[in-house]
Amino acid sequence: MRLPLHHNTIQHPKHQTIQQNHPRRHSRLQLLVLISLTSFASSGESFVLDSILATTRSKAASSSCFLTTTLSMTAPSSKEHQGDNTDQPISSISNNSMNARSSSSSQSWRSLLEISMAKTRKIRGSNYVQLATVNTSREPRVRTVVFRGCLTVPKDHALSNTCHDTSSTDNNPPLSCLLKMCTDARSQKVEDNANQSTAELCWWFPKTSEQYRIRGELILVGTEEDDRALTIARKELWGNLSDPARESFLDTTHTPGQQWNDSHDESTVIIDIPKGGRDDEGKVVPPPDNFLLMLLNPSYCDYLCLSGNQYRQIDVLRNGQWSWQRVNP
Amino acid sequence: MRLPLHHNTIQHPKHQTIQQNHPRRHSRLQLLVLISLTSFASSGESFVLDSILATTRSKAASSSCFLTTTLSMTAPSSKEHQGDNTDQPISSISNNSMNARSSSSSQSWRSLLEISMAKTRKIRGSNYVQLATVNTSREPRVRTVVFRGCLTVPKDHALSNTCHDTSSTDNNPPLSCLLKMCTDARSQKVEDNANQSTAELCWWFPKTSEQYRIRGELILVGTEEDDRALTIARKELWGNLSDPARESFLDTTHTPGQQWNDSHDESTVIIDIPKGGRDDEGKVVPPPDNFLLMLLNPSYCDYLCLSGNQYRQIDVLRNGQWSWQRVNP
């Protein structure tokens, strides 16, 4: 299997220069000092965009992913430092020395994702991801969807997909890898899924300059599902939607993608939708048939980190076990 | 052709409530007042995310897309107002009355995109987009790439793809629709492209809550290209890259995706890469064979706006002419 290559697509140029121009220049003592400096300085580096559209010097907002990878095991509670020292000489760090500490990360993609989510959870839209499918004409389709957390199913469930890495303990149980979203049965991706169930999700974290490309089977759970765990999960997700989101699923009059017609807004039509998806007593109405729980059951993840020193890791699920290795970015 | 539907995926719940609960309530005079209010208030609305990960109340940062669509023709120089009136009663706006002003936008996707880019060009990473392809196993692949502007080719060029809408004048010539990116010949998407040249790009603008799904043929321009315009464009893009980005293309030792090896960083290997992709006199060296100009030549765009009142538009290229219509979100 040839791995997907895309170091060319998004780059953090400054660090490549570092990597290439200062090999093996620092002692381990110097390194420790520099690690401390970096955690302050890396957030303020300049980031040169080549695009004709975005050339403004701006601040990155996170500490180095690489440092996160290597240090979070020993200092899990260390806070992010959001310095503004744009001229801090972080370019003097020896990438090579750093890498010697972790040529392979001790953390799976799932643990890394947990950290990325924790760092960005207060940012509006940080859980918006791009989901790609293939349609019946074998063409790619991709759209933004909302990631709605991971679903934990019983250990003996066919969809049980957990990640045990070195951080898994009794207190920190393995993390579920089953990604939860929802969709509408009228959506094109439902039609795509019937043809090709493999999907790929691209999750770009702007704050930390990290990308996860998560690949697996896309599973749709509707009203006719007979699996108890999935039926419960579908109902829970329905109940957790916002009132207006529920309304949108209950609005079966306005088929998405059909030509706009002002007469759609006749009050007579609108009245049929239970306000907020609730009954007269304020209780959430049952989910309509077109409301689908959408699960991505991953078997592969390509993780790329462009803040700090570039880092890339490929995680693969084989025989129910995740394993991972560091690869060239 | 059935259009892709995804109103279910990303939602701006508050406005759906507006749409459904207050049809035809306001006079045109009231509407004008409310338009003014909205341009101040919409930036500060609450945005309820259903995800278990992101429930924090936060501020949207742009004026309504719908207002942009309807008003930009008459007030192109109006500035964005980034108020903080989270409790401003914008929910009293009649969506129906608003829509009566433009059941179909007078602007093509390309003009709308120009506005979106202008609004966000100072934001780091605002030109990062997700590009989906299909691989030889008919599986979807998607990754983040950097959009590097549009390429204008001569009118009689086979790839000439321009958009004439009502804003096209002698002073505002039609906009080129040919999207410019670059890639590495070693990239998986190059292999994908040989099998299926149709690609889809998803561009989500977090600041304005807009999404463009742009579909078309993906064209790769390498060193053996004999078309003059494309050869020039490739060389220009190479020259416009940052020095470190050029270095990454010249680094043919570290194949992306191959297992990481600390010995990669031996000075002997590194020295072979011209620093900054420049010769001793500081002049940019010629692009290596693996540097490819990547063009997306669109024939379809699905535009969705979730800020302000929801708005969706489908643009299609037929016989060299773009046409568009408003559809249900």
Side-chain angles (χ1 to χ4, degrees):
Chain A
M1 179 177 57
R2 190 171 159 199
L3 299 172
L5 318 178
H6 54 99
H7 80 301
N8 50 301
T9 53
I10 29 177
Q11 289 147 339
H12 200 299
K14 203 164 187 178
H15 290 287
Q16 284 197 331
T17 314
I18 299 162
Q19 182 175 344
Q20 290 158 0
N21 299 334
H22 303 274
R24 301 189 191 284
R25 189 170 287 175
H26 297 279
S27 71
R28 192 158 290 269
L29 182 61
Q30 282 175 305
L31 177 64
L32 287 171
V33 176
L34 287 164
I35 287 172
S36 311
L37 272 175
T38 310
S39 64
F40 284 92
S42 62
S43 60
E45 296 166 80
S46 71
F47 186 96
V48 185
L49 287 176
D50 300 301
S51 162
I52 57 168
L53 295 168
T55 53
T56 313
R57 188 180 173 92
S58 62
K59 300 165 204 162
S62 77
S63 59
S64 152
C65 293
F66 183 78
L67 287 173
T68 301
T69 308
T70 52
L71 299 183
S72 61
M73 302 305 292
T74 51
S77 64
S78 70
K79 290 180 183 171
E80 282 180 68
H81 301 283
Q82 302 195 9
D84 194 17
N85 319 351
T86 47
D87 297 314
Q88 200 82 13
I90 60 152
S91 60
S92 57
I93 297 175
S94 160
N95 180 63
N96 202 46
S97 309
M98 298 285 287
N99 295 334
R101 296 191 63 195
S102 81
S103 64
S104 252
S105 163
S106 58
Q107 291 180 289
S108 67
W109 70 274
R110 189 59 191 83
S111 292
L112 293 169
L113 181 64
E114 203 68 10
I115 297 166
S116 305
M117 290 192 293
K119 280 182 176 175
T120 57
R121 72 178 61 202
K122 289 190 177 176
I123 301 171
R124 170 177 174 256
S126 65
N127 59 335
Y128 285 13
V129 298
Q130 278 73 36
L131 181 74
T133 55
V134 173
N135 78 352
T136 49
S137 306
R138 298 177 197 164
E139 289 183 356
R141 293 293 180 266
V142 55
R143 76 291 279 164
T144 307
V145 301
V146 181
F147 170 66
R148 296 175 186 274
C150 287
L151 176 64
T152 302
V153 289
K155 273 185 186 175
D156 57 352
H157 194 283
L159 295 182
S160 175
N161 183 344
T162 53
C163 218
H164 303 247
D165 61 16
T166 52
S167 64
S168 301
T169 62
D170 286 346
N171 291 331
N172 295 310
L175 294 162
S176 170
C177 299
L178 210 47
L179 308 184
K180 205 164 51 174
M181 295 156 284
C182 68
T183 189
D184 194 304
R186 297 169 291 178
S187 154
Q188 182 67 45
K189 57 185 157 331
V190 173
E191 199 175 305
D192 294 353
N193 191 248
N195 179 56
Q196 167 59 281
S197 65
T198 298
E200 189 163 278
L201 181 155
C202 181
W203 197 341
W204 171 252
F205 288 87
K207 185 183 173 187
T208 54
S209 293
E210 292 169 290
Q211 177 179 261
Y212 296 82
R213 297 174 63 192
I214 308 168
R215 186 188 309 166
E217 194 188 1
L218 198 67
I219 297 155
L220 300 170
V221 180
T223 195
E224 293 182 358
E225 179 64 48
D226 53 10
D227 182 280
R228 183 175 151 76
L230 301 185
T231 301
I232 292 172
R234 175 171 173 264
K235 284 187 181 165
E236 276 182 354
L237 187 54
W238 173 251
N240 289 335
L241 290 186
S242 69
D243 284 7
R246 265 194 303 274
E247 283 178 9
S248 76
F249 280 98
L250 293 164
D251 178 5
T252 49
T253 315
H254 301 165
T255 305
Q258 281 193 353
Q259 190 171 355
W260 176 266
N261 186 344
D262 286 347
S263 66
H264 281 167
D265 289 270
E266 291 300 331
S267 310
T268 49
V269 173
I270 301 304
I271 280 167
D272 290 330
I273 302 170
K275 194 177 172 183
R278 295 173 185 276
D279 63 19
D280 293 343
E281 293 169 357
K283 205 177 151 192
V284 170
V285 302
D289 289 355
N290 57 305
F291 174 75
L292 305 179
L293 168 66
M294 181 166 71
L295 300 170
L296 182 66
N297 190 19
S299 54
Y300 190 96
C301 179
D302 182 336
Y303 168 73
L304 178 67
C305 175
L306 297 181
S307 75
N309 289 294
Q310 292 195 8
Y311 179 86
R312 187 175 170 196
Q313 171 177 316
I314 304 288
D315 291 44
V316 182
L317 179 71
R318 283 194 195 93
N319 304 321
Q321 292 290 323
W322 284 97
S323 62
W324 50 93
Q325 67 171 349
R326 180 174 186 173
V327 299
N328 293 328
Chain B
M1 179 177 59
R2 190 172 158 197
L3 299 173
L5 317 178
H6 54 97
H7 80 301
N8 50 302
T9 54
I10 29 178
Q11 291 147 337
H12 200 298
K14 203 163 187 177
H15 291 286
Q16 283 196 330
T17 313
I18 300 163
Q19 182 174 342
Q20 290 158 2
N21 298 335
H22 303 273
R24 300 191 194 284
R25 189 170 289 174
H26 297 278
S27 70
R28 191 159 290 270
L29 180 61
Q30 282 175 305
L31 177 65
L32 287 172
V33 176
L34 287 164
I35 287 172
S36 310
L37 272 176
T38 310
S39 64
F40 284 91
S42 62
S43 60
E45 296 166 80
S46 71
F47 186 97
V48 185
L49 287 176
D50 299 301
S51 163
I52 57 167
L53 294 168
T55 53
T56 314
R57 189 178 172 91
S58 61
K59 300 164 203 161
S62 76
S63 58
S64 152
C65 293
F66 183 79
L67 287 172
T68 300
T69 308
T70 52
L71 299 182
S72 61
M73 302 306 293
T74 51
S77 64
S78 70
K79 289 181 184 173
E80 279 180 71
H81 301 283
Q82 300 195 11
D84 196 12
N85 319 351
T86 47
D87 297 314
Q88 201 83 14
I90 60 150
S91 60
S92 56
I93 297 175
S94 160
N95 179 64
N96 202 46
S97 308
M98 298 286 288
N99 295 335
R101 296 192 62 193
S102 79
S103 65
S104 253
S105 163
S106 58
Q107 291 181 290
S108 68
W109 70 274
R110 189 58 190 85
S111 291
L112 294 169
L113 181 64
E114 202 67 11
I115 297 166
S116 304
M117 292 192 292
K119 280 181 177 176
T120 57
R121 72 179 62 202
K122 288 190 177 175
I123 301 170
R124 170 178 172 257
S126 64
N127 58 334
Y128 285 13
V129 298
Q130 278 73 36
L131 182 74
T133 56
V134 173
N135 78 352
T136 49
S137 305
R138 298 178 197 164
E139 288 183 357
R141 294 293 180 264
V142 55
R143 75 293 278 165
T144 308
V145 300
V146 181
F147 169 66
R148 296 176 187 273
C150 286
L151 176 65
T152 302
V153 289
K155 273 186 186 175
D156 58 351
H157 195 283
L159 295 182
S160 175
N161 184 343
T162 53
C163 219
H164 303 247
D165 62 21
T166 52
S167 65
S168 300
T169 62
D170 286 347
N171 291 331
N172 294 310
L175 293 162
S176 171
C177 298
L178 209 49
L179 309 184
K180 205 164 52 174
M181 294 156 283
C182 67
T183 190
D184 194 304
R186 297 169 291 179
S187 155
Q188 182 67 45
K189 58 186 158 326
V190 172
E191 200 175 305
D192 294 353
N193 189 249
N195 179 55
Q196 167 57 282
S197 65
T198 298
E200 190 163 277
L201 181 154
C202 181
W203 196 341
W204 172 252
F205 288 87
K207 185 182 173 187
T208 54
S209 293
E210 292 170 290
Q211 176 180 261
Y212 295 82
R213 296 175 65 192
I214 308 168
R215 185 188 309 166
E217 194 188 0
L218 199 66
I219 297 155
L220 301 169
V221 180
T223 195
E224 293 180 358
E225 179 64 50
D226 52 11
D227 182 282
R228 183 175 152 76
L230 302 185
T231 301
I232 291 173
R234 175 171 173 263
K235 284 188 181 165
E236 276 182 355
L237 186 55
W238 173 250
N240 289 335
L241 289 187
S242 69
D243 284 8
R246 265 194 302 274
E247 282 179 8
S248 76
F249 281 98
L250 293 164
D251 178 5
T252 49
T253 315
H254 301 164
T255 306
Q258 282 194 353
Q259 190 171 354
W260 177 267
N261 187 343
D262 285 348
S263 66
H264 281 167
D265 289 86
E266 292 300 330
S267 311
T268 48
V269 173
I270 302 303
I271 280 166
D272 292 330
I273 301 169
K275 193 177 172 182
R278 295 173 185 277
D279 62 19
D280 293 343
E281 293 169 357
K283 204 178 150 192
V284 170
V285 302
D289 289 354
N290 57 305
F291 174 77
L292 306 180
L293 167 66
M294 181 166 71
L295 300 171
L296 182 65
N297 190 18
S299 54
Y300 190 96
C301 179
D302 183 336
Y303 168 73
L304 178 67
C305 175
L306 298 181
S307 75
N309 290 293
Q310 292 195 9
Y311 179 86
R312 187 176 170 195
Q313 171 177 316
I314 304 288
D315 292 45
V316 181
L317 179 71
R318 282 194 195 95
N319 304 322
Q321 292 289 323
W322 284 97
S323 62
W324 51 93
Q325 68 171 347
R326 182 173 185 173
V327 299
N328 293 328

